[in-house]
Amino acid sequence: MWILPIVGYLGVAVGFGFLTTAIASGLYYLSELVEEHTVMAKRFLTRMIYAIIGIQALLCLVDGFSFKLSVMSILSHLVYLGNMRRFPVVHLSNPLFLISCALVIVNHYLWFRHFAAGPIQTPTSIYDTSGYPDFTQIASYFGLCVWLTPFALFVSLSASDNVLPTMGSEEPNMPEGAGKGKGKREGIAKVIIDSVRNGIAELGRIVGFWKEDTGF
């Protein structure tokens, strides 16, 4: 067979494109939703972080998860919680934000290595499978306890460079007109998606896929 494998690869590429577009659209919508309901989003994210800390503590006490890694995860979520003090504004050069980004990678690596090493508990017999979490359980743990909070913060937080001076901001004494030309508050995810979309549009215009006046 010569044609069918090509069709298969083409289908995978098209499916991946649709999946990427769907994820980007979802992130864009969530970012706009947070912009409109900032107070509610802050309350929800704060409670979610506390809930994940509680789940992590229960996993350590009841299911025998690694004590050191559990403490690491709890401390990481406390650091994530520190970003909520000025929610949704964040300085990309803020040490707390940079530490949070580093902790996401460290947590993922340590927990991935932990689960890849073998069972959490030593089985008492060949019929004891309690120490062998399946793929669904591991994926759910990573999704809820490792990735959910950083992902939610990534969608919700707004880069300070895209924020107009408002009451209670860090620069209340900014002269009038100094903030002109800046856009309204936009989430980091929204800014990234817009930048990628504009880049693709510009590349397509240069290559000649579409005319300049038609846009993307």
Side-chain angles (χ1 to χ4, degrees), residues 199-212:
I200 295 175
E202 181 65 19
L203 179 62
R205 185 187 64 80
I206 295 175
V207 175
F209 287 156
W210 44 75
K211 296 181 180 180
E212 184 175 0

Side-chain angles (χ1 to χ4, degrees), residues 96-119:
L96 187 63
F97 177 76
L98 296 178
I99 293 174
S100 299
C101 295
L103 287 175
V104 175
I105 300 174
V106 172
N107 264 307
H108 172 82
Y109 171 75
L110 292 179
W111 280 111
F112 181 83
R113 191 178 66 173
H114 171 75
F115 285 112

Side-chain angles (χ1 to χ4, degrees), residues 27 30-31 34-35 38 41-42 44-45 84 87-90 149-159 185-189:
L27 291 176
L30 289 176
S31 183
V34 171
E35 290 177 15
T38 304
K42 180 178 181 179
F44 173 79
L45 290 175
M84 303 300 296
F87 181 88
V89 181
V90 62
T149 299
F151 179 79
L153 290 176
F154 172 74
V155 173
S156 305
L157 293 177
S158 301
R185 175 179 298 166
E186 291 184 342
I188 297 177

Side-chain angles (χ1 to χ4, degrees), residues 24-46:
S25 300
L27 291 176
Y28 202 90
Y29 173 75
L30 289 176
S31 183
E32 288 189 340
L33 197 63
V34 171
E35 290 177 15
E36 297 176 0
H37 306 282
T38 304
V39 177
M40 184 181 300
K42 180 178 181 179
R43 186 183 302 115
F44 173 79
L45 290 175
T46 302

Side-chain angles (χ1 to χ4, degrees), residues 74-130:
I74 292 175
L75 292 178
S76 298
H77 279 80
L78 292 177
V79 173
Y80 301 154
L81 190 63
N83 290 284
M84 303 300 296
R85 291 181 300 175
R86 296 176 179 175
F87 181 88
V89 181
V90 62
H91 287 281
L92 300 182
S93 59
N94 186 3
L96 187 63
F97 177 76
L98 296 178
I99 293 174
S100 299
C101 295
L103 287 175
V104 175
I105 300 174
V106 172
N107 264 307
H108 172 82
Y109 171 75
L110 292 179
W111 280 111
F112 181 83
R113 191 178 66 173
H114 171 75
F115 285 112
I120 299 175
Q121 298 174 342
T122 303
T124 57
S125 68
I126 60 175
Y127 303 103
D128 182 12
T129 59
S130 59

